[in-house]
Amino acid sequence: MRKFLYFLETIDLMRMVLGICILVDGYPLIFFFRETLKLAPGSTVFTAAVFAVGLILMVPFTVLRRLYRPNMTMFWMGLGFITLCIAYMFTYLGDPGFRDYDKDMIYYAYALIFLFLLINIPNDIARVFILVVVLFTFVSNLGLIYSLITNPSWAIGQRATITLGDNDDGSGNPHVFSRNAFMGVVACAIWLIRSDTNILLRIFALFAGVINLAVLVLTQTRSSILALIIAITLFLAFNVRPPQIRAVVRGIFRPVTLGVVALGVVGIALFLRRYYDVYAVLYGYVLGFAERNLDNIYALVGAKAQGAAYKATLDDSAANRSVSALFFSNVVTGHIHMLILGFGYKYLYLDVPVLESLTNMGILGFFLFGGVNAMCLYYALGIMRTNPNQLSVFLAYFYMLIMVAAFTGGRPNEISFWIPLALMTRFMGIEHLFPEYLQEHRHIVYAPAVPATSPTN
């Protein structure tokens, strides 16, 4: 009977985590059902309805009867920024043609309801969180792959995304798919490095992780690639020590390890020989990605990338940020007093959210938006050092993507920021409040253990 009740509790926790995933990472599946399966092409009502379903799934049976403490400093700062945005929207507009009051209020309502429901959700979701994220991101990737295969207008070399619109010229948003892939990579890695992960689950995590990496390459989004590099660097810095490196090196030269490596090399060689086109496609994407970024670097320094007759140019995204930097420089040198209150709600799209929070929302907006992000980074680094539980570890590395986005794309008042930040507000910096049975750092092994040596007299 006790096992059956534990099973029901697990299913209930998974239901709530599924609702969280829909709010944080629901766009890939929404686009799949909306555009690929043609259930509601171009419908924002369908998107809002799916998000509403996610909120309903999050409602615990103890709603309003049991509340859980979030990170209170981040909570009040985040709530303050959203309140400031709403106040500016109705009293201090920077865009004279702004008419999207209802649309923006719906976004803020979703963010606030999401945060309220998170306060009602128990900390016990930590034990099923990674499982649901791995499955959710895997299914989302399958939806993208199916869409690419069945889309006659998509060709190898284009960015992987689901086309929005009914014609071949429809646009897509590869960033939502790269976020999904990044989340999947982090979740799969957590499963793989845990010493107590079942071997079948570990094999599935490896398979799903490879698919996530492939999708990350196919989407060709610089922010996700940079975030992944930062996450890997921080993981190695915090979790790999010289004794562990020596233990790994010793383990590599064991006969069994050498045999497995040899079999792996042979298997990869046979795979590439049989499916060389797959290798060629991924190689082409990586090479094209590198060339495009080098072209931006050449353009910034005024160099010529390909001979005397060719002059490198910035792509649209980099060019927009260059213009934003010039605008901010002009403000600082000639109109610095405008930064006290800012230029008004949505005055100018800078494509650098941290910078836009200052120019549009003033010093207070910059303090609140930048403060929440700074605290997330502070707690993320602490979590990476201690590895207290699966949920906290996932959020710490997931924040690397949000951190990069805060400097490279979007607007500070967008739901794409405040839904993840609300999740981090609820669970980051409060690991000490988790019950003992959720403290799993003792189960996480990142490298072969180094045998202890007995002290000598």
Side-chain angles (χ1 to χ4, degrees):
M1 185 63 180
R2 183 178 299 175
K3 290 184 177 180
F4 179 70
L5 293 176
Y6 182 81
F7 173 76
L8 292 180
E9 180 188 9
T10 301
I11 296 298
D12 187 49
L13 294 173
M14 292 176 68
R15 166 185 67 86
M16 289 182 273
V17 177
L18 177 60
I20 293 173
C21 287
I22 291 175
L23 270 295
V24 176
D25 185 41
Y27 278 112
L29 281 180
I30 289 173
F31 290 162
F32 172 74
F33 286 109
R34 205 181 73 181
E35 308 295 339
T36 302
L37 299 185
K38 304 297 182 183
L39 294 183
S43 173
T44 56
V45 175
F46 180 83
T47 302
V50 173
F51 281 161
V53 170
L55 293 175
I56 293 172
L57 288 173
M58 288 177 59
V59 178
F61 292 112
T62 57
V63 63
L64 298 179
R65 288 184 292 145
R66 183 177 299 172
L67 302 179
Y68 296 85
R69 184 182 181 87
N71 186 309
M72 295 306 298
T73 304
M74 292 172 60
F75 174 82
W76 289 116
M77 292 181 74
L79 199 61
F81 183 81
I82 294 177
T83 303
L84 182 67
C85 287
I86 296 174
Y88 266 49
M89 181 171 59
F90 287 103
T91 63
Y92 188 31
L93 269 178
D95 178 10
F98 181 79
R99 296 292 182 273
D100 294 331
Y101 295 94
D102 294 340
K103 178 181 176 182
D104 282 21
M105 282 303 298
I106 290 174
Y107 287 153
Y108 294 136
Y110 273 116
L112 293 173
I113 295 172
F114 180 70
L115 180 57
F116 169 74
L117 290 177
L118 285 174
I119 296 173
N120 287 267
I121 288 178
N123 297 323
D124 290 67
I125 66 167
R127 64 182 179 86
V128 299
F129 192 87
I130 298 301
L131 169 64
V132 178
V133 171
V134 169
L135 295 176
F136 190 87
T137 54
F138 179 71
V139 173
S140 298
N141 283 330
L142 292 182
L144 173 63
I145 294 171
Y146 174 83
S147 177
L148 297 179
I149 293 174
T150 57
N151 184 3
S153 65
W154 186 82
I156 293 175
Q158 293 178 334
R159 303 177 76 174
T161 184
I162 291 179
T163 301
L164 305 179
D166 297 326
N167 51 57
D168 293 342
D169 296 327
S171 61
N173 186 355
H175 292 278
V176 299
F177 297 98
S178 65
R179 171 184 284 199
N180 176 79
F182 184 89
M183 292 175 60
V185 168
V186 173
C188 290
I190 292 174
W191 250 4
L192 285 170
I193 61 182
R194 283 171 51 86
S195 60
D196 58 347
T197 302
N198 181 280
I199 183 62
L200 295 179
L201 294 179
R202 191 167 289 187
I203 292 173
F204 175 73
L206 179 62
F207 174 70
V210 171
I211 291 180
N212 282 307
L213 283 174
V215 170
L216 203 60
V217 172
L218 294 176
T219 56
Q220 305 181 59
T221 52
R222 286 189 291 264
S223 58
S224 297
I225 298 295
L226 177 59
L228 183 62
I229 293 173
I230 294 174
I232 293 174
T233 302
L234 290 174
F235 170 80
L236 295 176
F238 286 124
N239 297 285
V240 178
R241 298 290 181 267
Q244 294 171 318
I245 296 175
R246 288 194 294 269
V248 171
V249 172
R250 285 196 299 267
I252 290 176
F253 291 98
R254 292 176 181 173
V256 175
T257 305
L258 292 175
V260 172
V261 171
L263 289 175
V265 171
V266 172
I268 293 173
L270 292 175
F271 176 84
L272 294 178
R273 190 174 178 181
R274 183 176 179 84
Y275 301 102
Y276 182 79
D277 290 344
V278 176
Y279 165 77
V281 168
L282 291 177
Y283 178 78
Y285 270 99
V286 172
L287 187 62
F289 179 81
E291 288 178 347
R292 205 164 46 250
N293 284 280
L294 285 174
D295 214 34
N296 285 328
I297 295 174
Y298 292 143
L300 286 172
V301 299
K304 294 181 179 180
Q306 299 179 9
Y310 177 85
K311 185 177 181 180
T313 58
L314 293 169
D315 61 23
D316 292 339
S317 180
N320 187 47
R321 295 189 193 102
S322 179
V323 173
S324 299
L326 179 61
F327 168 79
F328 184 74
S329 176
N330 292 334
V331 170
V332 171
T333 56
H335 307 277
I336 194 170
H337 63 281
M338 291 297 297
L339 296 182
I340 298 175
L341 294 178
F343 285 83
Y345 186 73
K346 290 192 173 181
Y347 171 77
L348 185 65
Y349 176 57
L350 298 180
D351 210 18
V352 183
V354 171
L355 201 61
E356 185 175 325
S357 68
L358 176 60
T359 57
N360 290 3
M361 309 294 293
I363 294 175
L364 181 58
F366 174 76
F367 171 76
L368 294 174
F369 181 76
V372 171
N373 280 275
M375 292 190 67
C376 280
L377 178 60
Y378 171 78
Y379 289 118
L381 295 177
I383 290 169
M384 291 176 189
R385 284 193 295 267
T386 58
N387 304 302
N389 57 78
Q390 294 183 70
L391 173 56
S392 297
V393 172
F394 172 83
L395 293 178
Y397 288 100
F398 176 39
Y399 177 70
M400 297 302 104
L401 180 61
I402 306 302
M403 180 187 70
V404 171
F407 292 93
T408 61
R411 311 197 76 159
N413 57 301
E414 287 181 346
I415 196 173
S416 59
F417 276 110
W418 286 103
I419 291 295
L421 288 176
L423 184 61
M424 294 164 189
T425 297
R426 167 64 179 89
F427 291 106
M428 289 180 71
I430 60 160
E431 296 79 18
H432 60 285
L433 299 178
F434 281 30
E436 180 61 29
Y437 59 85
L438 293 178
Q439 304 295 339
E440 298 182 349
H441 54 271
R442 61 186 182 278
H443 297 305
I444 299 177
V445 177
Y446 297 102
V450 180
T453 56
S454 57
T456 57
N457 295 326

